[in-house]
Amino acid sequence: MVPKITPKRTSTDLQNRARMLVSCPDRPGIVAAVSRFLYEHGANIVQSDQYTMDPEGGLFFIRIEFDLDNLDARIERLKADFDNVAKEFEMDWRMTRASRRKRLAIFVSKEDHCLLELLWHWQSGDLDADIAMVISNHDHMRELVEPLGIPYHYIPVTPDTKAEAEKRQLELVAGKVDVVILARYMQIISPKFIEHFPNRIINIHHSFLPAFVGGKPYAQAYNRGVKIIGATAHYVTEELDGGPIIEQDVQRVSHRDNVDDLKRIGRHIERTVLARAVGWHVEDRVIVHQNKTVVFS
């Protein structure tokens, strides 16, 4: 029996650290009000990032990390007290404990590069989350996953069984995970599934869309002589591959690169882009506004 591998944990003590994400109409006094509130409750701000879309009538976004002694016992009262500030400034906000690690479900098909990247980040302690399970419509990745002590669920999907397969998937993840990662999962997620995880399903795909749709996109790109290839990580919405973008990256290629070269380069970009996007999400660095994101990376 292979022993369970325990991932490294970050050395920083996050037990008394909280994160606050706020978006609201821009106006004077927002930062002062939030800072004063935290000061009056004995909190110490350790990091603060802010962004305004337009100082005259736009939206304001801020992310704050703060330390507060005995946070676990005090955070619910802190949230209740902050509600008065939030109402005054018409804030959309959330407050989370940094020590509360998000639980991930990773969906994967036949390609392993994105899954392997996430597993490596998790084992090294760079991904501050718990991988609750891996779900696949193929049985190929079991030997990669189970030796790490992560449950692996093989749920085959065919056109005739798709609805039943998704029902089984929902039974596994609903109420048990915080985020679903589509690590090159080659099935379309239904609106019903998306409803359970609004802005909490992250997908990765090549950035040839919408130019090269359908099968063999790298062959199509090669035949067109593309000079740049890339990848996009985004939240999943009912619009296929049209959800709010979290992260993108590109790399230049040339006529010297054949189709296999393009695929290899594309896989590298996909896995790094997805890992960054997942890392930012689990650290509460992303605010979604309409079909865009503000990312405090």
Short mmCIF file of all heavy atoms in Angstrom, two decimals, residues 59-60 91 151 248 251 257 276 278:
data_model
loop_
_atom_site.label_atom_id
_atom_site.label_comp_id
_atom_site.label_asym_id
_atom_site.label_seq_id
_atom_site.Cartn_x
_atom_site.Cartn_y
_atom_site.Cartn_z
N LEU A 59 -16.65 52.53 -10.33
CA LEU A 59 -16.66 51.59 -9.22
C LEU A 59 -15.29 51.51 -8.57
O LEU A 59 -14.27 51.68 -9.24
CB LEU A 59 -17.08 50.19 -9.70
CG LEU A 59 -18.57 49.95 -9.95
CD1 LEU A 59 -18.79 48.54 -10.48
CD2 LEU A 59 -19.38 50.15 -8.67
N PHE A 60 -15.30 51.25 -7.29
CA PHE A 60 -14.07 51.16 -6.50
C PHE A 60 -13.95 49.73 -5.97
O PHE A 60 -14.93 49.12 -5.53
CB PHE A 60 -14.15 52.14 -5.33
CG PHE A 60 -12.95 52.11 -4.42
CD1 PHE A 60 -11.78 52.79 -4.75
CD2 PHE A 60 -12.99 51.39 -3.23
CE1 PHE A 60 -10.68 52.76 -3.90
CE2 PHE A 60 -11.89 51.36 -2.39
CZ PHE A 60 -10.73 52.05 -2.73
N MET A 91 -21.86 48.70 -0.46
CA MET A 91 -20.78 47.76 -0.76
C MET A 91 -21.30 46.37 -1.06
O MET A 91 -22.23 45.88 -0.42
CB MET A 91 -19.82 47.67 0.43
CG MET A 91 -19.02 48.91 0.70
SD MET A 91 -17.98 48.70 2.17
CE MET A 91 -17.05 50.23 2.15
N PRO A 151 -8.97 11.06 -3.35
CA PRO A 151 -9.98 10.18 -3.96
C PRO A 151 -10.10 10.45 -5.47
O PRO A 151 -10.09 11.61 -5.91
CB PRO A 151 -11.27 10.55 -3.23
CG PRO A 151 -10.83 11.15 -1.94
CD PRO A 151 -9.54 11.85 -2.23
N GLN A 248 -4.34 35.21 -18.54
CA GLN A 248 -3.95 34.80 -19.89
C GLN A 248 -2.44 34.95 -20.02
O GLN A 248 -1.80 35.70 -19.29
CB GLN A 248 -4.62 35.67 -20.95
CG GLN A 248 -6.13 35.50 -21.05
CD GLN A 248 -6.73 36.45 -22.07
OE1 GLN A 248 -6.67 37.67 -21.94
NE2 GLN A 248 -7.33 35.88 -23.11
N GLN A 251 2.99 33.17 -25.96
CA GLN A 251 4.39 32.97 -26.32
C GLN A 251 4.52 33.04 -27.83
O GLN A 251 3.68 32.54 -28.57
CB GLN A 251 4.91 31.62 -25.82
CG GLN A 251 6.39 31.40 -26.11
CD GLN A 251 6.94 30.17 -25.41
OE1 GLN A 251 6.52 29.84 -24.29
NE2 GLN A 251 7.88 29.50 -26.04
N ASP A 257 8.54 26.12 -35.92
CA ASP A 257 7.80 25.26 -35.00
C ASP A 257 6.76 24.45 -35.76
O ASP A 257 5.91 25.01 -36.46
CB ASP A 257 7.10 26.11 -33.92
CG ASP A 257 8.09 26.83 -33.04
OD1 ASP A 257 8.97 26.16 -32.47
OD2 ASP A 257 7.99 28.07 -32.91
N ARG A 276 -1.81 29.74 -11.96
CA ARG A 276 -1.88 31.11 -11.44
C ARG A 276 -3.32 31.49 -11.12
O ARG A 276 -3.61 32.08 -10.06
CB ARG A 276 -1.28 32.10 -12.44
CG ARG A 276 0.24 32.08 -12.49
CD ARG A 276 0.78 33.37 -13.11
NE ARG A 276 0.43 33.48 -14.52
CZ ARG A 276 1.23 33.14 -15.54
NH1 ARG A 276 2.43 32.62 -15.28
NH2 ARG A 276 0.86 33.30 -16.79
N VAL A 278 -5.92 29.60 -10.40
CA VAL A 278 -6.43 28.87 -9.24
C VAL A 278 -5.82 29.44 -7.96
O VAL A 278 -6.51 29.63 -6.96
CB VAL A 278 -6.14 27.36 -9.37
CG1 VAL A 278 -6.51 26.63 -8.08
CG2 VAL A 278 -6.90 26.78 -10.55
#
